[in-house]
């Protein structure tokens, strides 16, 4: 059964919250300062933390657990996470282990968290720089999605979520891919998160339905369907790692931007292997680039690497070291039509043969 609801009003959320006697809210500090009066009027017990990848840790987990203990949270208490994907991942993780598990609800405030991180019951923290090295499968009691939160989101953060939204429609809905493609102008000039049009709301709702539908069929990633959600991520993760490697001090690309470049590569790979018709490939390329998301060659230029060979060698190195790569094969997600993807075991050797064509289109 669906555990999420989308509303511009706080009333349906208040109706849920009033069922609980003891509510504890873990809130991203940026969200806390932007929405302080609503947060203070909605929650009595508030834990504010500075959200960044290093905060998704055992240390933060322990601090939140200590705070819950000091404030007498028991098994009947409700824990609520208010913030982006870092908050929802961390809060879900704490709730799933505190006193062997307490009920939790999520109030995602970024586009990434609204359509992706809060949906699907995966929680996680990072250990020794390894993303989501520890985590649980644990379903939130409710996920309250209010598109109003997107109004204050920095544009670059909005774009990252937009990349995941496009990915979701490439996987699961051609019609909505075309609806989203009509919005690229207002996405690229930053109008969409201010105007919050009906079309954007429809897109949010549909993207959440698609993701939860996939998760419902393969909750624990056993049957492979959930792997479709990795579209763009094989190269995406490797591109992110290359940026950290070549330009560690600069924030050249964040996760959503790397995924967008990864989707372009997956689309091109599918085209070169004769799986995806050229018009569909062009449509994907157009939506991604016209929204203002980068390609791999653009990211490589920003990294200022002397030769393309050095960059692609490093990319291959990171793909080979990906936790999903087994005996030099990776279950690569190919696109066969808008709204349809398949996975195929693909050797690192084959990726190497195509790599120049894939990255420098
Ligand atoms: N569990 C899953 O299935 C899943 C899926 C995708 C991503 N994730 C995780 O999600 C995390 C990324 O999520 P994210 O992109 O939301 O990052 P995030 O939580 O860091 O939020 C991004 C930035 O936006 C700020 N922010 C949040 N809401 C805001 C608002 N309404 N207005 C202004 N600023 C706001 C935050 O303070 C932060 O600086 C990663 O750790 C990733 O691993 C998890």
């Amino acid at each position: 059964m669906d555990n999420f609801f989308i509303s511009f009003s706080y009333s349906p959320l208040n109706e849920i919250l009033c069922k609980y006697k003891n509510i504890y809210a873990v809130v991203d500090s940026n969200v806390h300062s932007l929405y302080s009066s609503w947060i203070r009027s909605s929650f009595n017990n508030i834990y504010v933390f500075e959200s960044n990848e290093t905060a998704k840790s055992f240390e933060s987990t322990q601090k939140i657990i200590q705070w819950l203990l000091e404030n007498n949270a028991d098994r009947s208490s409700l824990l609520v996470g208010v913030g982006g994907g870092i908050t929802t991942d961390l809060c879900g993780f704490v709730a799933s282990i505190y006193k062997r598990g307490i009920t939790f609800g999520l109030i995602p405030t970024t586009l990434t968290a609204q359509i992706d991180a809060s949906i699907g019951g995966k929680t996680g923290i990072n250990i020794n720089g390894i993303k989501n090295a520890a985590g649980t499968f644990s379903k939130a009691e409710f996920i309250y999605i209010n598109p109003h939160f997107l109004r204050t989101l920095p544009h670059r953060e909005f774009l990252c979520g937009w990349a995941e939204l496009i990915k979701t429609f490439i996987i699961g809905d051609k019609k909505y891919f075309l609806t989203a493609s009509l919005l690229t102008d207002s996405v690229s000039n930053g109008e969409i998160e201010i105007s919050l049009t009906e079309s954007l709301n429809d897109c949010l709702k549909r993207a959440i339905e698609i993701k939860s539908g996939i998760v419902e069929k393969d909750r624990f990633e056993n049957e492979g369907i959930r792997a479709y959600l990795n579209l763009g991520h094989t190269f995406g993760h490797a591109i992110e790692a290359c940026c950290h490697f070549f330009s560690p001090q600069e924030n050249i690309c964040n996760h959503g931007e790397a995924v967008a470049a990864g989707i372009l590569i997956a689309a091109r790979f599918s085209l070169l292997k004769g799986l995806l018709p050229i018009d569909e490939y062009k449509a994907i390329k157009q939506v991604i680039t016209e929204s203002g998301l980068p390609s791999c060659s653009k990211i490589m230029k920003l990294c200022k690497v002397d030769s393309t060979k050095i960059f692609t060698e490093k990319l291959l190195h990171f793909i080979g070291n990906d936790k999903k790569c087994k005996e030099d094969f990776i279950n690569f997600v190919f696109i066969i039509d808008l709204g349809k993807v398949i996975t195929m075991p693909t050797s690192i050797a084959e990726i190497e043969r195509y790599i120049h064509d894939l990255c420098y289109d």
Side-chain angles (χ1 to χ4, degrees), residues 150-162:
L150 304 180
R151 286 207 157 125
T152 51
L153 199 60
H155 182 59
R156 199 169 170 196
E157 297 295 346
F158 182 89
L159 270 184
C160 289
W162 186 253

Side-chain angles (χ1 to χ4, degrees), residues 28 30-31 34-35 51-53 56 83-87 89 109-110 112-113 116-119 122-123 131-132 149-150 152-154 157 164 211 226 255:
D28 170 321
N30 288 329
V31 177
L34 287 162
Y35 299 92
S51 151
N52 50 47
E53 277 298 329
K56 251 176 77 170
I86 288 178
T87 311
D89 271 10
T109 60
T110 63
T112 301
D116 194 4
S118 70
I119 312 293
K122 270 189 187 177
T123 79
K131 279 202 63 160
N132 306 317
F149 287 119
L150 304 180
T152 51
L153 199 60
E157 297 295 346
E164 297 286 355
K211 176 154 184 196
R226 202 166 176 158
H255 181 69

